[in-house]
Amino acid sequence: MAIAIIPDRSHALNDITDRSVLNQKTIAERDSLAQGANNRLVIPTDIQNQINQVEGDFQHQINQVIGDFQNQINQVKESILVNANSISSHSNLKNMLIDSESTARPSEKIQNNQLADPVDSPPNQLISPIAQLPTFEELAQLSNIGEILDKLLNVNERLKILSEKYYGANKNAYRKSIENMEIPPVPGYDIDDALSRLAYRRWKSNKYLKSPKMKDYQPLRLKGYAGPPKVLTTLPNGHLVFCSAGYPPSTANTEYPPNTPLSNNTLKVLDMNKPVGDQCVATLEGHTGMVHQVAALPDSRPVSCSADHTVKVWDVKKPKGHQCVATLRGHNGSVNSVITLSNKLVLSGSTDNTMKLWDVEKPDGHQCIATLKGHTGMISTITRLSNGLVASGSYDGTIKLWDVEKPDGHQCIATLKGHTNKIHRLIQLSNGLLVSISWDKTIRVWDLKKPNGHQCIATLEGHTNEGHTNMVNALIESPEGLLVSGSYDRTIKFWDFNKPNGHQCVATLKGHAHGIYDLIYLSDGRLVSGSLDSTIKVWDPNESDGNQCIATLAGDAHRLCSLAKLHDDRIVSNSWSNLMGHFDKPLKVWHLNEPDEERLPSTR
């Protein structure tokens, strides 16, 4: 954007002065005549016309000088507004911000195209819609356009523009999501708006993750804590639960002697706010088979299901040896899925093709209050719907909807058919649509309000690898309401169901060398992916195509299993190797924000 320079109007003022001198005689004559006004002398018409001509010309010249100056200021404002609109629709932050670390003059910074801190002194190019211009008198006192912009635009305004770029029409949803979060302050500035602070944190983190400092970054390693893929869960109170697990090692694994017993049924609960070495607040022992999944009651009590056919409820506040407060028995096969429905209701799914509803407050032997039958294959996934119903996916290729309050034999109210292979996972979007992924390598979208047989409104088959469809493993909803999927074809895709069929895939992220295993969103809107290529990638979808990958975090030479997000947006990952039972690799905790940020220079 080129800022218009106000032209030198001094020649106009000189012209006015010259004409004024030439007409001094005429003005003197007028004054002399005016002094005789009390004698009721009448000024001749020709002299009065000359006086009017001189005064009119003088006023015209003054108005032209002032008008030209004000027009230039308006052009500055209009250029800024146009540039702001361009910024809001463009995803590259370089078009908006100039590097604060450079000592170059603003024009030099623009030529160097350096990236800037959003709280740095504003350059001659940027930035923001302007609510009000200063008065003409204030502007007239400023020496150059840079000072004018410095007057017009402040740190608060620039951070609001940054938050508009990142969050746009979804800013209200973001505000709600961070209501209970402590967003760090902007160093050196009193910024009241939490969303502006979040935008600054996101921008600052991106800059840090791209910097050379990350080459030497090492995550926190929690040795001795590792587990199978499903068991890495954050409780409502912020504690992390995982299974310290492994299978008996194979003879190829020389790290352990043959038949070395490895725990595969012990849960550990970590308080990640405690110092290193003190994070483990509970070790939960009692299962006799592999733990498959952990859910949580609203009061943060963990609920675990196991290959030992049981579901257990734990209270970590109780003394060691007494933390298991309920063992739910009744399934005839491995329990692979568990969810909580209320403070006391738990629903589990098993390889015995049934689901069981439990009241954990009832005495032992009486906790099972309903058995849901109907599937002809093992239950692979369960999710609670917003209308109070429950959806289950099975290896029989169907999805069933249940009303658990109905009597036994009548709880199944609908069966969704369409997939041609096992159901792998179910999630419900915020708009009420149900999404399923299957071993048939498709994603199906279901509108549960439609009549039976017509609920499937879309089948998404965009994940391909060398011309063949590949299985989708990870699903998540973006803060903007898009469906995000990760596949074994090594890509991440964004889907918009408001688009017509065939055009619903609106973006594809590429970069992983192996399949995508897990996806999570940070509170600031960035996406984190875990892959079987042993890396974690941080993506900023608002950046321009090809620049969305902000950082690649290298794991061990072991395939990554799963990710969890702590309340402060730290990421926890676990990994496993090709060697049977090699689950002893440490959990890793990744901090994506620069530690001990220095106070930024103030522009005030």
Side-chain angles (χ1 to χ4, degrees), residues 100-126:
S100 64
E101 297 177 356
S102 172
T103 57
R105 296 175 61 83
S107 60
E108 295 170 345
K109 293 180 184 181
I110 295 170
Q111 293 172 2
N112 295 336
N113 195 28
Q114 294 170 322
L115 188 66
D117 202 305
V119 299
D120 190 23
S121 179
N124 283 352
Q125 175 181 350
L126 237 31

mmCIF file of all heavy atoms in Angstrom, residues 100-126:
data_model
loop_
_atom_site.group_PDB
_atom_site.id
_atom_site.type_symbol
_atom_site.label_atom_id
_atom_site.label_comp_id
_atom_site.label_asym_id
_atom_site.label_seq_id
_atom_site.Cartn_x
_atom_site.Cartn_y
_atom_site.Cartn_z
ATOM 1 N N SER A 100 9.498 -5.985 14.585
ATOM 2 C CA SER A 100 9.840 -5.036 15.638
ATOM 3 C C SER A 100 11.299 -5.108 16.002
ATOM 4 O O SER A 100 11.828 -4.203 16.643
ATOM 5 C CB SER A 100 9.004 -5.337 16.889
ATOM 6 O OG SER A 100 9.340 -6.602 17.388
ATOM 7 N N GLU A 101 11.979 -6.211 15.635
ATOM 8 C CA GLU A 101 13.358 -6.365 16.056
ATOM 9 C C GLU A 101 14.321 -5.619 15.141
ATOM 10 O O GLU A 101 15.489 -5.466 15.440
ATOM 11 C CB GLU A 101 13.712 -7.861 16.079
ATOM 12 C CG GLU A 101 12.872 -8.637 17.094
ATOM 13 C CD GLU A 101 13.181 -10.101 17.064
ATOM 14 O OE1 GLU A 101 13.987 -10.524 16.216
ATOM 15 O OE2 GLU A 101 12.612 -10.840 17.897
ATOM 16 N N SER A 102 13.842 -5.186 13.974
ATOM 17 C CA SER A 102 14.700 -4.439 13.070
ATOM 18 C C SER A 102 14.795 -2.992 13.518
ATOM 19 O O SER A 102 13.841 -2.397 13.994
ATOM 20 C CB SER A 102 14.136 -4.499 11.655
ATOM 21 O OG SER A 102 14.850 -3.622 10.811
ATOM 22 N N THR A 103 15.970 -2.402 13.345
ATOM 23 C CA THR A 103 16.151 -0.996 13.688
ATOM 24 C C THR A 103 15.955 -0.115 12.473
ATOM 25 O O THR A 103 16.198 1.088 12.529
ATOM 26 C CB THR A 103 17.567 -0.770 14.246
ATOM 27 O OG1 THR A 103 18.513 -1.209 13.263
ATOM 28 C CG2 THR A 103 17.766 -1.550 15.522
ATOM 29 N N ALA A 104 15.559 -0.697 11.329
ATOM 30 C CA ALA A 104 15.376 0.079 10.115
ATOM 31 C C ALA A 104 14.204 1.022 10.240
ATOM 32 O O ALA A 104 13.287 0.819 11.037
ATOM 33 C CB ALA A 104 15.158 -0.864 8.931
ATOM 34 N N ARG A 105 14.233 2.098 9.435
ATOM 35 C CA ARG A 105 13.099 3.003 9.365
ATOM 36 C C ARG A 105 11.914 2.251 8.767
ATOM 37 O O ARG A 105 12.081 1.248 8.081
ATOM 38 C CB ARG A 105 13.458 4.221 8.518
ATOM 39 C CG ARG A 105 14.562 5.063 9.127
ATOM 40 C CD ARG A 105 14.953 6.180 8.184
ATOM 41 N NE ARG A 105 13.817 7.062 7.926
ATOM 42 C CZ ARG A 105 13.474 8.049 8.738
ATOM 43 N NH1 ARG A 105 14.150 8.273 9.855
ATOM 44 N NH2 ARG A 105 12.442 8.815 8.453
ATOM 45 N N PRO A 106 10.665 2.756 8.992
ATOM 46 C CA PRO A 106 9.500 2.034 8.485
ATOM 47 C C PRO A 106 9.579 1.704 7.005
ATOM 48 O O PRO A 106 9.260 0.603 6.585
ATOM 49 C CB PRO A 106 8.346 2.999 8.799
ATOM 50 C CG PRO A 106 8.817 3.757 10.006
ATOM 51 C CD PRO A 106 10.300 3.905 9.812
ATOM 52 N N SER A 107 10.018 2.669 6.173
ATOM 53 C CA SER A 107 10.076 2.395 4.741
ATOM 54 C C SER A 107 11.073 1.294 4.437
ATOM 55 O O SER A 107 10.871 0.475 3.547
ATOM 56 C CB SER A 107 10.457 3.672 3.987
ATOM 57 O OG SER A 107 11.723 4.139 4.421
ATOM 58 N N GLU A 108 12.175 1.232 5.198
ATOM 59 C CA GLU A 108 13.163 0.189 4.996
ATOM 60 C C GLU A 108 12.616 -1.160 5.417
ATOM 61 O O GLU A 108 12.883 -2.191 4.802
ATOM 62 C CB GLU A 108 14.439 0.524 5.762
ATOM 63 C CG GLU A 108 15.141 1.777 5.228
ATOM 64 C CD GLU A 108 16.253 2.229 6.159
ATOM 65 O OE1 GLU A 108 16.272 1.763 7.312
ATOM 66 O OE2 GLU A 108 17.083 3.033 5.731
ATOM 67 N N LYS A 109 11.815 -1.149 6.493
ATOM 68 C CA LYS A 109 11.221 -2.402 6.954
ATOM 69 C C LYS A 109 10.294 -2.980 5.887
ATOM 70 O O LYS A 109 10.257 -4.174 5.654
ATOM 71 C CB LYS A 109 10.434 -2.177 8.244
ATOM 72 C CG LYS A 109 11.292 -1.813 9.445
ATOM 73 C CD LYS A 109 10.388 -1.627 10.648
ATOM 74 C CE LYS A 109 11.174 -1.172 11.871
ATOM 75 N NZ LYS A 109 10.307 -1.014 13.023
ATOM 76 N N ILE A 110 9.535 -2.105 5.251
ATOM 77 C CA ILE A 110 8.618 -2.563 4.222
ATOM 78 C C ILE A 110 9.394 -3.191 3.077
ATOM 79 O O ILE A 110 9.051 -4.254 2.571
ATOM 80 C CB ILE A 110 7.764 -1.391 3.726
ATOM 81 C CG1 ILE A 110 6.865 -0.874 4.866
ATOM 82 C CG2 ILE A 110 6.897 -1.802 2.542
ATOM 83 C CD1 ILE A 110 6.166 0.407 4.542
ATOM 84 N N GLN A 111 10.480 -2.531 2.673
ATOM 85 C CA GLN A 111 11.271 -3.068 1.574
ATOM 86 C C GLN A 111 11.881 -4.412 1.944
ATOM 87 O O GLN A 111 11.989 -5.313 1.126
ATOM 88 C CB GLN A 111 12.379 -2.082 1.210
ATOM 89 C CG GLN A 111 11.828 -0.777 0.613
ATOM 90 C CD GLN A 111 12.916 0.261 0.427
ATOM 91 O OE1 GLN A 111 14.077 -0.015 0.710
ATOM 92 N NE2 GLN A 111 12.544 1.431 -0.038
ATOM 93 N N ASN A 112 12.282 -4.562 3.192
ATOM 94 C CA ASN A 112 12.879 -5.825 3.639
ATOM 95 C C ASN A 112 11.841 -6.905 3.891
ATOM 96 O O ASN A 112 12.178 -8.054 4.119
ATOM 97 C CB ASN A 112 13.693 -5.598 4.912
ATOM 98 C CG ASN A 112 14.881 -4.692 4.672
ATOM 99 O OD1 ASN A 112 15.357 -4.594 3.543
ATOM 100 N ND2 ASN A 112 15.338 -4.014 5.707
ATOM 101 N N ASN A 113 10.549 -6.499 3.927
ATOM 102 C CA ASN A 113 9.441 -7.449 4.119
ATOM 103 C C ASN A 113 9.646 -8.287 5.370
ATOM 104 O O ASN A 113 9.511 -9.493 5.372
ATOM 105 C CB ASN A 113 9.307 -8.353 2.900
ATOM 106 C CG ASN A 113 7.968 -9.090 2.906
ATOM 107 O OD1 ASN A 113 7.003 -8.575 3.457
ATOM 108 N ND2 ASN A 113 7.928 -10.251 2.296
ATOM 109 N N GLN A 114 9.967 -7.630 6.461
ATOM 110 C CA GLN A 114 10.212 -8.345 7.704
ATOM 111 C C GLN A 114 8.928 -8.453 8.505
ATOM 112 O O GLN A 114 8.040 -7.615 8.413
ATOM 113 C CB GLN A 114 11.282 -7.602 8.521
ATOM 114 C CG GLN A 114 12.649 -7.618 7.830
ATOM 115 C CD GLN A 114 13.616 -6.692 8.524
ATOM 116 O OE1 GLN A 114 13.246 -5.623 8.980
ATOM 117 N NE2 GLN A 114 14.857 -7.112 8.608
ATOM 118 N N LEU A 115 8.866 -9.508 9.317
ATOM 119 C CA LEU A 115 7.679 -9.775 10.112
ATOM 120 C C LEU A 115 7.747 -9.012 11.420
ATOM 121 O O LEU A 115 8.782 -8.926 12.039
ATOM 122 C CB LEU A 115 7.585 -11.274 10.399
ATOM 123 C CG LEU A 115 6.321 -11.764 11.064
ATOM 124 C CD1 LEU A 115 5.140 -11.573 10.136
ATOM 125 C CD2 LEU A 115 6.476 -13.225 11.428
ATOM 126 N N ALA A 116 6.607 -8.445 11.839
ATOM 127 C CA ALA A 116 6.647 -7.571 12.994
ATOM 128 C C ALA A 116 5.827 -8.052 14.152
ATOM 129 O O ALA A 116 4.929 -8.837 14.018
ATOM 130 C CB ALA A 116 6.115 -6.212 12.632
ATOM 131 N N ASP A 117 6.167 -7.509 15.301
ATOM 132 C CA ASP A 117 5.403 -7.736 16.513
ATOM 133 C C ASP A 117 4.155 -6.870 16.478
ATOM 134 O O ASP A 117 4.224 -5.701 16.142
ATOM 135 C CB ASP A 117 6.266 -7.352 17.715
ATOM 136 C CG ASP A 117 5.772 -8.036 18.956
ATOM 137 O OD1 ASP A 117 4.580 -7.869 19.236
ATOM 138 O OD2 ASP A 117 6.566 -8.715 19.613
ATOM 139 N N PRO A 118 2.977 -7.446 16.814
ATOM 140 C CA PRO A 118 1.757 -6.648 16.746
ATOM 141 C C PRO A 118 1.710 -5.533 17.763
ATOM 142 O O PRO A 118 0.798 -4.710 17.716
ATOM 143 C CB PRO A 118 0.648 -7.675 16.996
ATOM 144 C CG PRO A 118 1.316 -8.778 17.685
ATOM 145 C CD PRO A 118 2.717 -8.824 17.180
ATOM 146 N N VAL A 119 2.648 -5.462 18.713
ATOM 147 C CA VAL A 119 2.665 -4.357 19.655
ATOM 148 C C VAL A 119 3.806 -3.402 19.364
ATOM 149 O O VAL A 119 4.102 -2.522 20.155
ATOM 150 C CB VAL A 119 2.759 -4.851 21.115
ATOM 151 C CG1 VAL A 119 1.582 -5.703 21.451
ATOM 152 C CG2 VAL A 119 4.058 -5.599 21.359
ATOM 153 N N ASP A 120 4.485 -3.546 18.219
ATOM 154 C CA ASP A 120 5.579 -2.658 17.863
ATOM 155 C C ASP A 120 5.032 -1.328 17.377
ATOM 156 O O ASP A 120 3.859 -1.193 17.043
ATOM 157 C CB ASP A 120 6.425 -3.312 16.775
ATOM 158 C CG ASP A 120 7.717 -2.554 16.521
ATOM 159 O OD1 ASP A 120 8.132 -1.832 17.442
ATOM 160 O OD2 ASP A 120 8.272 -2.696 15.425
ATOM 161 N N SER A 121 5.901 -0.322 17.295
ATOM 162 C CA SER A 121 5.516 0.978 16.780
ATOM 163 C C SER A 121 5.035 0.830 15.349
ATOM 164 O O SER A 121 5.694 0.187 14.545
ATOM 165 C CB SER A 121 6.712 1.928 16.826
ATOM 166 O OG SER A 121 6.354 3.174 16.300
ATOM 167 N N PRO A 122 3.875 1.413 14.991
ATOM 168 C CA PRO A 122 3.307 1.158 13.671
ATOM 169 C C PRO A 122 4.130 1.771 12.562
ATOM 170 O O PRO A 122 4.585 2.898 12.675
ATOM 171 C CB PRO A 122 1.926 1.814 13.756
ATOM 172 C CG PRO A 122 2.066 2.829 14.828
ATOM 173 C CD PRO A 122 3.047 2.284 15.803
ATOM 174 N N PRO A 123 4.337 1.043 11.461
ATOM 175 C CA PRO A 123 5.057 1.568 10.319
ATOM 176 C C PRO A 123 4.121 2.332 9.396
ATOM 177 O O PRO A 123 2.955 2.534 9.715
ATOM 178 C CB PRO A 123 5.572 0.303 9.648
ATOM 179 C CG PRO A 123 4.510 -0.685 9.951
ATOM 180 C CD PRO A 123 3.990 -0.341 11.322
ATOM 181 N N ASN A 124 4.637 2.702 8.205
ATOM 182 C CA ASN A 124 3.832 3.448 7.248
ATOM 183 C C ASN A 124 2.860 2.558 6.493
ATOM 184 O O ASN A 124 2.073 3.050 5.711
ATOM 185 C CB ASN A 124 4.751 4.150 6.236
ATOM 186 C CG ASN A 124 5.375 5.390 6.849
ATOM 187 O OD1 ASN A 124 5.002 5.787 7.940
ATOM 188 N ND2 ASN A 124 6.333 5.976 6.162
ATOM 189 N N GLN A 125 2.961 1.244 6.680
ATOM 190 C CA GLN A 125 2.030 0.327 6.024
ATOM 191 C C GLN A 125 1.294 -0.453 7.086
ATOM 192 O O GLN A 125 1.911 -0.901 8.016
ATOM 193 C CB GLN A 125 2.796 -0.646 5.127
ATOM 194 C CG GLN A 125 1.881 -1.692 4.529
ATOM 195 C CD GLN A 125 2.674 -2.647 3.670
ATOM 196 O OE1 GLN A 125 3.823 -2.415 3.392
ATOM 197 N NE2 GLN A 125 2.038 -3.717 3.270
ATOM 198 N N LEU A 126 0.010 -0.625 7.031
ATOM 199 C CA LEU A 126 -0.838 -1.401 7.914
ATOM 200 C C LEU A 126 -2.258 -0.888 7.784
ATOM 201 O O LEU A 126 -2.489 -0.046 6.977
ATOM 202 C CB LEU A 126 -0.370 -1.239 9.277
ATOM 203 C CG LEU A 126 0.090 -1.596 10.508
ATOM 204 C CD1 LEU A 126 0.923 -2.765 10.694
ATOM 205 C CD2 LEU A 126 0.676 -0.477 11.221
#
